[in-house]
């Protein structure tokens, strides 16, 4: 691509942009159970208008753009109140859950550099269900992750296994409210008590459910305490661009007090230029997402969110009850949230997903890890409400079709190669050759992904990562 020699017309630009989107997922149809959180056109229009209104304001300097400072303070104050914090709780707005998590891992690391300078190789204890963003943060920040198995029946964090993982290098324990994969809330109170006993930082990752769970509690759903009412909880991350339905990217990172949040902030005066002090990872950033989040929260209002929560609770019950009735499928666990995971002991779940995709549904594949088998994941959003019966009807049909479908060529090759083969030494060229055998060429994926997902599922996690890295490196090399 080269920039146009002469400026393109507005009409030509938007024609091209429309063309670029023609193969995107059709999330507007309400049949997408992941990635998109659609509140409906009216709410989305409010968010977009507020976003555009503040698109050019720059969060780099909040002493100049006082509007952004006020918006951020109000959003953080809302988050603190919503998660039952006192007047000491503080927070900041971020671009999403990953940035929130990177910031809290930095804060914990730097806090313990002061408290425990003898710890030169800090460790963070994670249940196997903790979000991948914690591993990413650890990779960026030089913190070692110690992963412990979760309960094989409930998929909640195992407190005793967490306790056994604590060493003299531990600085942090993480729990989820809820975990993304299974939609269950970890025993935060028990984990926090363990953290207090050992003088460790306790973080509740409520990115997925922290906004919605308080509404579920108000509707009579049993919701374990996970917020600032729990003694020992040091910090909480909560996304707004998921179940608060604000435009992306919008998240909050909250701390029990300013003394803890101080370790998040970065300042630099070792250069000749303007003063650098950042309360998040980004420096220059549009005020658009922040204004949009504020606008949508106030447009929807407390009653609006409560009604959405009511409808989603009913939808989740219909879907989970329906899955229980489909021969060949089983729920991994009953969720605390609107995140559903189910599998099959008889049928290849990746074939089921392909068949559902052929019928216009988007449902997520999840590979096996630790004691959780390969399964299908649904994130139930407001736009999915009303589709329950058709979803279940198609799902039952796809299970029966998938029963007769065999493993693909690549899956068979991988499974046949595992014994006695050192796959960790495989080259990028060999990886791309294997991917080509499954129909992956020129950075394009085949219409059916069961063979690729089956092959990835058969591989050890570190080899999966090598394959994914090689593929994405190649994908972004294409014109």
């Amino acid at each position: 691509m080269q920039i146009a020699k002469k400026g393109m017309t507005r009409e030509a630009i938007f024609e091209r942009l429309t063309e670029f989107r023609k193969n995107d997922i059709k999330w507007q149809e309400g049949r997408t159970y992941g990635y998109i959180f659609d509140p409906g056109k009216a709410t989305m229009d409010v968010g977009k208008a507020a976003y555009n209104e503040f698109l050019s304001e720059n969060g780099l300097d909040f002493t100049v753009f006082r509007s952004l400072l006020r918006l951020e303070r109000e959003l953080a104050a809302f988050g603190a109140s919503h998660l039952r914090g006192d007047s000491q709780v503080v927070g900041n707005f971020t671009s999403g859950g990953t940035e929130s998590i990177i910031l809290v891992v930095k804060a914990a690391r730097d806090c313990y550099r002061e408290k425990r300078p003898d710890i030169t190789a800090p460790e963070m204890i994670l249940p196997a269900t903790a979000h991948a963003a914690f591993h990413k943060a650890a990779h960026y920040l030089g913190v070692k992750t110690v992963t412990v198995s979760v309960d094989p029946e409930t998929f909640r964090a195992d407190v005793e296994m967490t306790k056994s993982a604590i060493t003299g290098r531990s600085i942090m324990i993480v729990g989820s409210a809820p975990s993304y994969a299974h939609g269950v809330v970890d025993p935060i109170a028990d984990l926090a008590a363990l953290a207090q006993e050992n003088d460790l930082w306790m973080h509740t990752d409520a990115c997925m459910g922290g906004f919605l769970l308080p509404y579920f509690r108000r509707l009579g759903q049993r919701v374990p305490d996970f917020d600032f009412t729990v003694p020992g909880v040091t910090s909480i991350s909560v996304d707004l661009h998921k179940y608060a339905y604000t435009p992306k990217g919008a998240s909050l990172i909250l701390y029990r007090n300013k003394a803890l949040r101080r370790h998040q902030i970065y300042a630099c005066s070792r250069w000749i230029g303007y003063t650098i002090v950042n309360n998040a990872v980004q420096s220059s950033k549009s005020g658009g997402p922040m204004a949009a989040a504020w606008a949508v929260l106030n447009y929807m209002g407390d009653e609006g969110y409560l009604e959405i929560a009511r409808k989603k609770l009913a939808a989740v019950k219909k879907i989970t009850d329906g899955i229980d009735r489909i021969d060949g499928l089983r729920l991994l666990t009953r969720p605390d949230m609107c995140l559903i995971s189910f599998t099959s002991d008889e049928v290849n779940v990746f074939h089921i997903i392909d068949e559902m995709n052929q019928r216009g549904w988007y449902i997520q594949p999840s590979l096996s890890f630790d004691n959780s088998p390969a399964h299908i994941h649904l994130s139930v959003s407001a736009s999915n409400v009303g589709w329950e019966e058709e979803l279940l009807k198609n799902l039952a049909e796809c299970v029966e079709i998938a029963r007769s479908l065999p493993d693909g060529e690549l899956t068979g090759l991988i499974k046949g190669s595992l014994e006695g083969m050192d796959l960790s030494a495989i080259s990028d060229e060999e990886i791309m050759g294997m991917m080509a055998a499954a129909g992956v060429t020129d950075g394009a994926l085949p219409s059916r992904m069961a063979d690729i997902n089956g092959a990835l599922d058969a591989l050890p996690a570190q080899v999966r990562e090598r394959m994914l890295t090689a593929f994405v490196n190649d994908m972004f090399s294409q014109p």
Side-chain angles (χ1 to χ4, degrees), residues 343-395:
T343 191
S344 176
D345 302 317
E346 307 168 16
V347 184
N348 184 324
V349 295
F350 303 127
H351 281 316
I352 297 172
I353 292 168
D354 280 349
E355 290 298 320
M356 289 292 283
N357 287 345
Q358 295 291 318
R359 287 160 176 75
W361 300 96
Y362 176 79
I363 55 179
Q364 285 184 331
S366 293
L367 305 180
S368 58
F369 183 73
D370 196 62
N371 53 18
S372 182
H375 62 274
I376 297 169
H377 175 90
L378 304 177
S379 294
V380 181
S381 186
S383 60
N384 304 133
V385 173
W387 287 94
E388 298 85 11
E389 289 185 14
E390 187 169 348
L391 172 77
L392 292 166
K393 176 178 177 291
N394 283 182
L395 193 55

Side-chain angles (χ1 to χ4, degrees), residues 192-254:
L194 189 60
Q196 277 191 307
E197 290 168 16
N198 293 273
D199 191 24
L200 302 178
W201 188 295
M202 174 66 208
H203 181 72
T204 299
D205 176 26
C207 283
M208 199 70 194
F211 180 82
L212 196 56
L213 284 171
Y215 288 104
F216 279 11
R217 184 187 288 117
R218 286 166 57 183
L219 292 168
Q221 183 89 335
R222 181 190 168 276
V223 176
D225 289 337
F226 66 91
D227 53 21
F228 286 113
T229 61
V230 178
V233 167
T234 315
S235 54
I236 304 176
S237 49
V238 54
D239 284 1
L240 302 177
H241 62 208
K242 292 188 173 76
Y243 289 123
Y245 297 102
T246 74
K248 299 183 187 307
S251 178
L252 296 172
I253 180 64
L254 303 165

Side-chain angles (χ1 to χ4, degrees), residues 53 90 183 185 221 225 243 365 405-406:
E53 190 73 18
V90 297
V185 177
Q221 183 89 335
D225 289 337
Y243 289 123
L405 299 177

